């Protein structure tokens, strides 16, 4: 039987369960201009012939295959089950690799999407979409660049096997390059793209390791140069007339992005900002050319490279760029990747320059000299951190900024403690001749501790506000999720009150009556809120009297704050509003009293409906009808078990009291008279001679 190639096969067909795109260029194999792609290997060709024969496809003309049909059928029968219905190379790759889903990546990507129909039947490759999906699915969601590099290597090997574009065999290496003549399939472009991604991911992996091993930075730069080289090769291939315009623009943007990262690492700021600007411009144009759904990916890439552009501008000489970088840092909730460490180092360096002019700080009417550089840097950035927290939009960003500020404050406190240790005279915290006044270094330590505790109070208060909104709202419909409870808020207010107690114990502030009074008023405010949520927890379990007493206690605390807060209104502005709490407590008291009355009526109706109020078992109340629902359950109260002890009559005891008064007759005359014997009788008794 002979097989021939004939016809103009185009469009899409189903081969072994997978959809295969057959381009229109695969017409009859005739003597035509231009190179032809290499034929598939024998096993794949046999499988195609077998499928074509079984489905009665029009088979190719001009090529005779003698026994190829039988061999093709045998190969198909052997390989189709193992490969999941795909080609032999795809099936074997899927069996050894990550399975059928990973093997489907090696199919020819469809070029018939809505976004690409305007470019005709030319080759198309969604470069940014492919790399973003691959990165998110293979490690980069958790910053695992080594896993992503391994994925790129495996996918590249599968692509080479599928395309029959191997670099020789296991015995000999034969180098091959993708040329324009081979661009009959967009998987050749994907092959070059995976080369660039593998080099880039290796560079990012080395960047993580270079923090502890500086010598790896040289290898990092080498891998980045390799990635740029592959990206430039991809851009050169995309300049062919066979590639559509969208793919050409994406290839140019991808090359500009990698080139900008390489220049960024070399600290060539002008060249880096030019490359990043080119990349940004292309992605912005692409985003404006398509729908909003398709433009999301391009806009995300623009947001990623914007901090890099501002950082390069700052290093070139634009001093206003540092403010924009700070704003970007706030909006994004913290930078990631290439810029993160450099931006933090830049902020620290800027503050260090300003710290050189700082000599002292004033707090509570006392000026304290500051000689420790770490403390100077922290105090200079204190106002910026507080402003950043106030401007933060999301709760996650606020929480991250609070944690960052507390971490910096702890480091500054530790630096002051290390200065306090060598000086043995500082243990009593007093100056010579000035009893009751602490030293400057200890007073600075108290100031930093005050900042730390105040920041912790603000953070807990911010968390309490979010929980309070959730507690006062209606419970969620989804029962699987645990809704916030008043007990969570009680714990937060306990921590706040503990921090206020620590503030009262700071050295150097024992005689500051205004400070003591201010902390006392704050304590009353937070105690009032704590009592309010304790009352809320009692309301949930229908303990009306306890809740009512606690509501009265809340009003008592609030009245004390209002009566004593005349001179401290400015310091109490940042605290929760007491008047709002009073209004809420009064409304809650009315609701509580109404609920208590209704609950009393319900209990009275329950008693009149012959419901059981005692724990008597059924055996003791046969004469009285009671509606007891527990009798139809598994724990019905029928009898006492084990039964209790009951008194029973016992067997009488008889005592012979007359025996003591009875006189018995004498019996001496009936007893034998024993004969008295001397030593001779004793000896005879021993030897048995006694009669």
């Amino acid at each position: 039987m002979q097989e021939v190639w004939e016809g103009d096969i185009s469009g899409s067909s189903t081969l072994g369960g997978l959809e295969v795109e057959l381009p229109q260029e695969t017409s009859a194999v005739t003597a035509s201009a231009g190179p032809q792609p290499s034929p598939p290997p024998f096993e794949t060709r046999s499988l195609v012939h077998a499928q074509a024969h079984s489905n009665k496809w029009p088979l190719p003309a001009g090529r005779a295959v003698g026994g190829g049909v039988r061999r093709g059928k045998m190969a198909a029968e052997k390989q189709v089950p193992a490969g999941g219905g795909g080609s032999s190379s795809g099936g074997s790759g899927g069996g050894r690799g990550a399975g059928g889903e990973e093997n489907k990546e090696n199919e020819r990507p469809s070029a018939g999407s809505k976004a690409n129909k305007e470019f005709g039947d030319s080759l198309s490759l969604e470069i940014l979409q492919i790399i973003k999906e691959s990165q998110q699915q293979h490690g980069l969601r958790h910053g695992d660049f080594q896993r992503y590099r391994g994925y790129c290597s495996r996918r590249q090997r599968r692509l080479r096997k599928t395309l029959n574009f191997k670099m020789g065999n296991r015995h000999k290496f034969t180098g091959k390059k993708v040329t324009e003549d081979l661009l009959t399939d967009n998987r050749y472009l994907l092959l070059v793209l995976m080369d660039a991604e593998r080099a880039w991911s290796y560079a990012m992996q080395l960047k993580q390791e270079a923090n502890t091993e500086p010598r790896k930075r040289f290898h990092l730069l080498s891998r980045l140069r390799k990635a740029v080289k592959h990206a430039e090769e991809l851009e050169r291939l995309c300049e062919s007339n066979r590639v559509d315009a969208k793919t050409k623009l994406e290839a140019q943007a991808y090359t500009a992005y990698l080139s900008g990262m390489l220049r960024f690492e070399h600290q060539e700021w002008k060249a880096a900002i030019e490359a990043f600007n080119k990349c940004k411009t292309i992605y912005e144009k692409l985003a404006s050319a398509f729908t909003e759904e398709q433009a999301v990916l391009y806009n995300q890439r623009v947001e990623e490279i914007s901090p890099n552009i501002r950082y390069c501008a700052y290093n070139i000489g634009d001093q206003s760029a540092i403010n924009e970088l700070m704003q970007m840092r706030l909006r994004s909730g913290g930078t990631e990747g290439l810029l993160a460490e450099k931006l933090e180092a830049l902020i620290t360096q800027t503050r260090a320059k300003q710290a050189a002019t700082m000599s002292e700080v004033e707090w509570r009417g006392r000026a304290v000299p500051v000689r420790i550089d770490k403390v100077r840097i922290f105090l200079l950035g204190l106002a910026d951190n507080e402003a950043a927290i106030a401007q933060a939009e999301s709760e996650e960003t606020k929480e991250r900024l609070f944690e960052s500020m507390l971490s910096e404050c702890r480091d500054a406190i530790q630096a002051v403690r290390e200065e306090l240790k060598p000086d043995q005279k500082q243990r009593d915290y007093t100056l010579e001749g000035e009893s009751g006044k602490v030293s400057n270094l200890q007073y600075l330590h108290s100031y930093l501790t005050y900042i730390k505790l105040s920041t912790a109070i603000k953070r807990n208060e911010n968390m309490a506000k979010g929980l309070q909104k959730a507690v006062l709202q209606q419970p969620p419909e989804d029962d699987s999720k645990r809704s916030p409870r008043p007990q969570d808020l009680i714990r937060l207010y306990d921590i706040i009150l503990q921090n206020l107690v620590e503030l009262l114990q700071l050295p150097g502030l024992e005689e500051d009556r205004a400070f003591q009074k201010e902390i006392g008023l704050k304590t009353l405010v937070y105690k009032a809120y704590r009592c309010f949520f304790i009352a809320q927890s009692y309301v949930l379990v229908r303990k009306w009297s306890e809740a009512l007493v606690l509501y009265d206690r809340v009003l008592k605390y609030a009245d004390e704050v209002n009566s004593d807060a005349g001179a401290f209104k400015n310091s109490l502005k940042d605290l929760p509003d007491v008047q709002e709490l009073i209004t809420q407590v009064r409304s809650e008291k009315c609701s509580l009293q109404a609920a208590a009355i209704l609950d009393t009526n319900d209990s009275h109706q329950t008693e009149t409906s012959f419901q059981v109020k005692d724990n008597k078992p059924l055996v003791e109340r046969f004469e009285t009808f009671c509606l007891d629902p527990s009798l139809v359950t598994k724990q019905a109260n029928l009898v006492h078990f084990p039964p209790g002890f009951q008194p029973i009559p016992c067997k009488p005891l008889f005592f012979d009291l007359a025996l003591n008064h009875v006189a018995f007759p004498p019996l001496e005359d009936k007893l034998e008279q024993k004969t008295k014997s001397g030593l001779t009788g004793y000896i005879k008794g021993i030897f048995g001679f006694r009669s």
Side-chain angles (χ1 to χ4, degrees), residues 185-253:
D185 195 330
N186 54 4
R187 285 176 291 183
Y188 286 102
L189 298 177
L190 185 59
L191 189 63
V192 183
L193 178 62
M194 286 295 106
D195 271 327
E197 281 293 292
R198 182 176 63 173
W200 171 81
S201 59
Y202 195 9
M204 294 298 102
Q205 176 189 344
L206 292 170
K207 183 175 179 61
Q208 292 178 340
E209 299 172 357
N211 295 328
T212 55
E213 302 177 48
R215 289 290 303 173
K216 289 192 175 182
R217 178 171 173 79
F218 298 100
H219 196 185
L220 153 70
L221 297 175
S222 174
R223 295 282 58 180
L224 271 181
R225 283 192 292 269
K226 194 74 172 178
V228 173
K229 179 181 177 182
H230 289 304
E232 291 174 349
E233 181 182 358
L234 177 63
E235 182 182 358
R236 179 184 59 80
L237 291 173
C238 289
E239 292 176 356
S240 172
N241 294 330
R242 303 179 183 181
V243 181
D244 62 9
K246 180 172 178 288
T247 306
K248 292 179 181 179
L249 289 175
E250 287 205 33
Q252 293 175 8

Side-chain angles (χ1 to χ4, degrees), residues 395 457-471 488-493 496 526 529 533 576:
E395 294 299 325
I457 290 173
K458 291 178 182 177
R459 181 194 62 181
N460 291 329
E461 184 183 345
N462 182 67
M463 294 172 61
K465 287 181 180 178
L467 287 175
Q468 184 177 354
K469 293 179 181 178
V471 168
D488 302 332
L489 286 160
I490 295 170
R491 175 58 182 161
L492 286 176
Y493 283 112
I496 291 174
Y526 289 116
Y529 272 89
F533 288 107

Side-chain angles (χ1 to χ4, degrees), residues 340-353:
E341 298 177 1
K342 292 183 178 295
L343 181 56
E344 295 296 334
L346 173 63
I347 294 172
T348 305
Q349 181 181 0
T350 305
R351 290 175 180 171
K353 291 179 181 178

Side-chain angles (χ1 to χ4, degrees), residues 403-610:
E403 291 297 333
S404 176
M405 185 174 173
L406 287 173
S407 177
E408 294 176 4
C409 187
R410 284 191 287 265
D411 293 341
I413 291 174
Q414 183 61 31
V416 175
R417 286 177 182 170
E418 291 175 357
E419 292 292 328
L420 281 172
K421 286 180 181 178
D423 193 357
Q424 300 295 330
K425 295 181 180 180
Q426 298 294 335
R427 290 188 176 181
D428 55 357
Y429 305 130
T430 59
L431 292 175
E432 296 180 0
E434 297 183 9
S435 61
K437 186 177 181 181
V438 299
S439 64
N440 289 332
L441 197 58
Q442 180 58 38
Y443 196 76
L444 180 61
H445 183 272
S446 298
Y447 177 46
L448 293 175
T449 307
Y450 170 79
I451 294 174
K452 185 189 76 171
L453 294 175
S454 300
T455 305
I457 290 173
K458 291 178 182 177
R459 181 194 62 181
N460 291 329
E461 184 183 345
N462 182 67
M463 294 172 61
K465 287 181 180 178
L467 287 175
Q468 184 177 354
K469 293 179 181 178
V471 168
L472 297 179
Q473 289 175 355
Q474 296 294 331
E477 298 180 357
D478 190 3
D479 296 335
S480 61
K481 295 182 179 179
R482 178 185 176 275
S483 59
R485 299 177 297 176
Q487 289 84 344
D488 302 332
L489 286 160
I490 295 170
R491 175 58 182 161
L492 286 176
Y493 283 112
D494 283 336
I495 297 173
I496 291 174
L497 291 173
Q498 183 180 356
N499 292 333
L500 289 173
V501 172
E502 293 178 8
L503 284 175
L504 290 173
Q505 299 172 355
L506 289 178
L509 299 174
E510 296 87 351
E511 299 180 358
D512 193 341
R513 301 303 177 191
F515 180 78
Q516 302 286 334
K517 187 67 174 177
E518 179 183 342
I519 299 301
L521 288 175
K522 291 182 179 179
T523 303
L524 288 176
V525 172
Y526 289 116
K527 278 186 176 180
Y529 272 89
R530 179 175 175 273
C531 281
F532 174 76
F533 288 107
I534 293 177
Q536 290 284 323
S537 64
Y538 277 115
V539 169
L540 293 178
V541 294
R542 296 177 177 271
K543 293 186 177 181
W544 314 115
S545 57
E546 291 87 346
L548 188 61
V549 171
L550 287 169
Y551 281 143
D552 292 335
R553 181 68 62 86
V554 172
L555 295 177
K556 177 184 174 182
Y557 286 142
D559 292 338
E560 290 181 11
V561 172
N562 289 332
S563 61
D564 298 338
F568 300 96
K569 288 186 177 180
N570 292 330
S571 60
L572 299 179
K573 287 190 302 183
D574 297 334
L575 296 179
D577 191 4
V578 179
Q579 295 297 330
E580 181 180 351
L581 179 62
I582 293 174
T583 305
Q584 190 172 0
V585 167
R586 288 174 179 171
S587 63
E588 290 290 338
K589 284 183 67 176
C590 296
S591 301
L592 185 145
Q593 291 171 354
I597 294 172
L598 292 174
D599 189 53
T600 304
N601 293 335
D602 292 342
S603 62
H604 180 68
Q605 292 176 2
T606 304
E607 290 178 2
T608 58
S609 63
F610 300 103

